[in-house]
Amino acid sequence: MGQHSSASASRLLGLDGFEVLAAEVAGGEWRLAVQTTAELVGCPGCGVRAQAHGRRTVQVRDLPIGGRPVVLCWRKRIWRCREPACGVRTWTEQVAAIRPRAVLTERARAEACRRVGKDAHAVAAVARDLGVGWATIMRAVGDHGRPLVDAPTRLEDVTALGLDETSFLKATRVAPTRYVTGLVDLEGGRLLDVVADRTRAAVHRWLDARSREWLAHIGTVALDPWRGYASALVVPLGHATVVVDHFHAIKLANAAVDQVRRRTQQAALGHRGRKRDPLYRIRKLLLTAAEQLTSRGRVRLRAGLAAGDPGGEVAAAWQGKELLRAVYAADDLVDARAALGRFYRWADGVGVPELSRLARTVRAWEAEVLAFHTTDGCSNGPTEAMNLLIKKIKRVGHGFRNFTNYRLRLLLHCGVRWQTHQTAKLRSCSPRLVA
Ligand SMILES: [Zn+2]
């Protein structure tokens, strides 16, 4: 392309108010000389028509074109006021598309935010692609992401609230594992917020910040009963039905099976489970839902128990776990009650301490366990799905140190709805070329 402004190139660049003067590929990158098209500019001080007073070139990186990185060489105009009585002498033009002293165009910054937020790409990878530093990308994520996260409409229309804890920082030699609590919209399947810590005070503070109308709209709350959450809900959400969902109940039952397995291993072998120990080899099969075991899995499970569980305590705990699962799998409340009776009788009869403790917990939360069958739409799906997403973000972030960044990235990934252009299928659209 030559040295004259090209209308096609300007349209292709598509940066409002700019035209392309020249384009060349240097070092594998497009270098586009651009300038603004505005000719009639008034002085910001007195409004008198300004006079052109030369140019100064700045470089910013823009979105790639045709897979090639793009550098805009913006011939920024300097204007001068001719009015002698005016205090303003000269000034440099400013545009919304490129902020003063920016190294990226605003649309490149918005795209960086979308990639890090929506697509969960690593900040470092996006920084490398755009040829800028980590901090530049993280600032763009903050500037473009915070308005999305802070939008008051984001929290609208929640009727079923889920509470769940997840680890934020794994324990180190000097500090214990730090946890956060995720608040999930169970119907819409989105993350509403993340609060530091898993205490009732943290949840209470969040609920306190909600309006009376918002709270009144919540009909169901699903939670992990083995945390102090329930008491945080009493006042603000006293009207809602509290449910112990499938996900959390089975998590606890699995923990009981695991404890019995480890105790039995330790008693028989005098050490913790090792690769070749029969119970250790079936540790995952023990936690698999019975109906999901393959025939080979069932054979291995039976063989492992026969070899490593002579007292039958692990098998008894496994049976207890399956009986508790049946409570959740029941068709209706009547069946669920009957299944719960079978679980209690089994747990009370076999005399395995871990199972007795599980039964005590379930008894304490019996109404909330059975409420699973009286509240429509309280599924464990969203919470589970959210946990997977949270793990994914954590992997990409290589272990977050900064809670504010962690929360922002989680909410951008699972808590906001992104407006994205729907690309039409090429075969179904007929192109109309303009010269
Ligand atoms: Zn002036």
Side-chain angles (χ1 to χ4, degrees):
M1 202 172 85
Q3 291 300 306
H4 303 288
S5 132
S6 152
S8 292
S10 301
R11 269 206 298 277
L12 189 61
L13 179 67
L15 197 57
D16 263 356
F18 279 86
E19 61 182 354
V20 176
L21 299 170
E24 60 171 12
V25 173
E29 299 188 342
W30 274 117
R31 296 186 70 81
L32 305 180
V34 299
Q35 66 182 22
T36 56
T37 50
E39 285 301 331
L40 193 65
V41 172
C43 166
C46 65
V48 163
R49 188 177 172 175
Q51 195 175 35
H53 188 66
R55 293 182 185 272
R56 189 164 66 82
T57 300
V58 296
Q59 296 192 5
V60 284
R61 203 171 280 280
D62 194 21
L63 295 173
I65 294 178
R68 235 183 241 290
V70 170
V71 177
L72 300 181
C73 306
W74 176 19
R75 302 177 63 235
K76 216 170 172 176
R77 207 188 266 282
I78 298 163
W79 296 101
R80 189 168 73 89
C81 181
R82 285 179 300 184
E83 173 55 50
C86 177
V88 178
R89 297 268 186 271
T90 64
W91 68 96
T92 313
E93 67 176 336
Q94 288 191 12
V95 295
I98 303 168
R99 301 213 285 186
R101 287 176 297 282
V103 291
L104 290 174
T105 60
E106 276 311 294
R107 65 184 186 184
R109 298 180 80 230
E111 173 64 10
C113 175
R114 198 194 59 77
R115 279 187 59 191
V116 170
K118 178 168 176 282
D119 299 340
H121 290 176
V123 173
V126 177
R128 207 160 47 232
D129 287 354
L130 287 168
V132 296
W134 187 95
T136 301
I137 296 300
M138 204 55 226
R139 255 197 314 278
V141 173
D143 290 349
H144 285 264
R146 266 191 305 272
L148 297 173
V149 165
D150 293 342
T153 54
R154 198 178 65 81
L155 297 181
E156 274 175 7
D157 290 331
V158 183
T159 56
L161 181 67
L163 296 180
D164 202 23
E165 67 163 48
T166 178
S167 67
F168 157 51
L169 280 179
K170 280 265 178 287
T172 62
R173 263 179 308 159
V174 290
T177 300
R178 279 171 59 192
Y179 287 90
V180 297
T181 300
L183 298 110
V184 179
D185 167 11
L186 291 175
E187 297 248 280
R190 69 199 150 123
L191 188 62
L192 297 170
D193 215 331
V194 198
V195 293
D197 214 340
R198 51 176 174 175
T199 59
R200 67 195 76 176
V203 174
H204 204 121
R205 265 195 303 278
W206 191 87
L207 290 172
D208 250 5
R210 307 278 77 81
S211 71
R212 205 184 280 257
E213 294 73 37
W214 192 92
L215 293 168
H217 208 58
I218 304 290
T220 311
V221 184
L223 49 79
D224 186 340
W226 301 282
R227 295 283 154 224
Y229 296 146
S231 47
L233 308 172
V234 172
V235 178
L237 287 171
H239 59 277
T241 308
V242 176
V243 184
V244 170
D245 64 45
H246 181 267
F247 178 71
H248 288 116
I250 303 311
K251 197 165 88 178
L252 195 77
N254 281 343
V257 173
D258 241 6
Q259 285 157 8
V260 180
R261 174 184 61 80
R262 282 201 297 264
R263 176 168 60 76
T264 307
Q265 260 167 198
Q266 187 76 36
L269 308 165
H271 58 72
R272 291 175 55 179
R274 288 176 193 162
K275 231 157 65 184
R276 304 183 65 85
D277 298 340
L279 287 181
Y280 187 79
R281 291 176 63 177
I282 59 165
R283 69 194 186 285
K284 283 187 183 138
L285 289 173
L286 282 166
L287 307 184
T288 307
E291 71 277 4
Q292 277 173 20
L293 287 169
T294 60
S295 49
R296 191 171 157 266
R298 273 195 297 276
V299 170
R300 280 186 52 210
L301 185 63
R302 262 198 295 272
L305 287 171
D309 182 37
E313 286 194 303
V314 180
W318 180 86
Q319 186 65 47
K321 182 253 298 183
E322 288 300 317
L323 287 170
L324 185 59
R325 287 189 58 241
V327 175
Y328 283 89
D331 284 334
D332 54 34
L333 188 58
V334 176
D335 282 358
R337 263 187 216 289
L340 195 58
R342 285 193 292 277
F343 166 74
Y344 288 151
R345 277 194 297 282
W346 179 261
D348 296 343
V350 293
V352 176
E354 292 85 348
L355 201 54
S356 304
R357 196 164 57 231
L358 174 66
R360 271 202 301 282
T361 311
V362 173
R363 276 194 172 94
W365 290 90
E366 186 176 294
E368 288 79 7
V369 168
L370 290 172
F372 183 77
H373 291 282
T374 56
T375 48
D376 288 344
C378 179
S379 112
N380 58 313
T383 312
E384 250 177 308
M386 215 56 72
N387 271 302
L388 289 176
L389 291 174
I390 286 172
K391 282 200 182 115
K392 178 174 154 196
I393 298 288
K394 251 172 40 182
R395 260 201 315 278
V396 172
H398 300 299
F400 282 84
R401 294 272 127 201
N402 179 322
F403 176 76
T404 309
N405 283 354
Y406 175 69
R407 173 178 176 270
L408 179 64
R409 291 186 63 185
L410 279 179
L411 290 177
L412 286 177
H413 189 57
C414 3
V416 305
R417 292 192 180 88
W418 291 81
Q419 305 291 326
T420 39
H421 170 72
Q422 283 292 311
T423 308
K425 284 191 181 134
L426 197 53
R427 284 180 196 282
S428 62
C429 79
S430 48
R432 242 186 52 231
L433 282 179
V434 282

